[in-house]
């Protein structure tokens, strides 16, 4: 279905003995292995026939596949988004934030949205909704933060449903909160944002 996005959220298996670099490589490998298997199953193509390629901006894709994807991870938690149109996804653990980041990178409308709540927990959630929305939008177009953050993702009424950027055009936005339990049994709050040309239905699956 056009406009449908499936998002799978899972934790990559890591060893305590791994170095930081080894953990990053392991998380990336697990994420890409999941994507390759999902596309293989969805299109009935053997995994060894799928050859990963990269666009001019570095965004990964499988040539000839009708399934588009994007990956984000925070710690060992991975989000893999799939759609028939280009998609960008970003997740972040909701934790204490530095107000100077908002002052430097957020627009006036976004800063007003964060500051409009008198409750610190809600201000924190709003901060991460905006940050992940900006990241997801840039990832949709295959660019990083260097692509520019000077576009609105929120207004006084809340998060926008459509983001308009001067460089790349407009994109639909979806944001959601979720929780995951870590290996120590601690429940961690996360924020997730998706961007695509069209978003009609989002199916989030925790595995």
């Amino acid at each position: 279905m056009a406009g449908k996005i499936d998002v799978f959220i899972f934790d990559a298996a890591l060893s305590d003995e791994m170095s930081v670099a080894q953990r990053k490589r392991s998380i990336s490998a697990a994420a890409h292995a999941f994507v390759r298997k999902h596309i293989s199953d969805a299109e009935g193509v053997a995994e060894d026939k799928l050859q990963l390629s990269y666009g001019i901006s570095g965004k990964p894709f499988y040539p000839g596949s009708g399934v588009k994807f994007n990956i984000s991870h925070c710690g060992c938690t991975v989000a893999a988004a799939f759609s028939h149109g280009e998609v960008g996804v970003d997740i972040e653990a909701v934790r204490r934030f530095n107000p100077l980041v908002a002052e430097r990178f957020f627009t006036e409308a976004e800063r007003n949205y964060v500051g409009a709540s008198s409750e610190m927990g809600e201000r924190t959630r709003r901060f991460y909704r905006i940050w992940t929305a900006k990241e997801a939008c840039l990832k949709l177009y295959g660019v990083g933060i260097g692509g520019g953050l000077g576009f609105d993702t929120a207004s006084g009424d809340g998060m926008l449903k459509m983001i308009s950027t001067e460089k790349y055009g407009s994109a639909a936005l979806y944001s959601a909160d979720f929780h995951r339990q870590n290996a120590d049994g601690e429940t961690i709050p996360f924020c997730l944002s998706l961007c695509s040309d069209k978003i009609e239905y989002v199916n989030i699956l925790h595995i």
Side-chain angles (χ1 to χ4, degrees), residues 39-101:
I39 294 178
S40 171
D41 292 344
E43 301 200 327
V45 178
E47 289 188 48
D48 59 4
K49 300 296 183 182
L50 294 170
Q51 299 297 318
L52 188 66
S53 187
Y54 296 87
I56 295 175
S57 58
K59 188 176 184 180
F61 70 100
Y62 283 99
S65 171
V67 179
K68 308 298 183 182
F69 72 92
N70 199 231
I71 299 167
S72 178
H73 69 85
C74 181
C76 66
T77 300
V78 178
F82 299 92
S83 181
H84 289 293
E86 292 292 348
V87 61
V89 62
D90 190 60
I91 60 169
E92 291 288 346
V94 177
R95 54 193 181 273
R96 187 175 181 179
F97 70 94
N98 185 346
L100 294 178
V101 174

Side-chain angles (χ1 to χ4, degrees), residues 11-60:
D11 292 328
L14 301 174
S15 168
D16 292 337
E17 287 73 34
M18 288 181 175
S19 66
V20 172
Q22 288 173 326
R23 290 170 69 89
K24 288 182 178 179
R25 287 195 297 269
S26 183
I27 292 167
S28 178
H32 281 283
F34 183 90
V35 167
R36 189 167 56 251
K37 184 177 188 311
H38 179 86
I39 294 178
S40 171
D41 292 344
E43 301 200 327
V45 178
E47 289 188 48
D48 59 4
K49 300 296 183 182
L50 294 170
Q51 299 297 318
L52 188 66
S53 187
Y54 296 87
I56 295 175
S57 58
K59 188 176 184 180

Side-chain angles (χ1 to χ4, degrees), residues 138-196:
L138 293 174
K139 290 178 70 177
L140 166 66
Y141 298 111
V143 296
I145 292 177
L149 294 170
F151 52 87
D152 288 326
T153 64
S155 70
D157 296 324
M159 297 299 295
L160 300 176
K161 292 184 178 180
M162 293 294 299
I163 296 174
S164 179
T165 68
E166 185 176 343
K167 288 184 179 180
Y168 310 110
S170 299
L173 169 66
Y174 171 92
S175 293
D177 300 319
F178 68 92
H179 293 78
R180 295 286 289 187
Q181 206 172 60
N182 64 19
D184 298 323
E186 181 184 6
T187 299
I188 308 296
F190 284 85
C191 183
L192 172 149
S193 287
L194 296 164
C195 276
S196 185

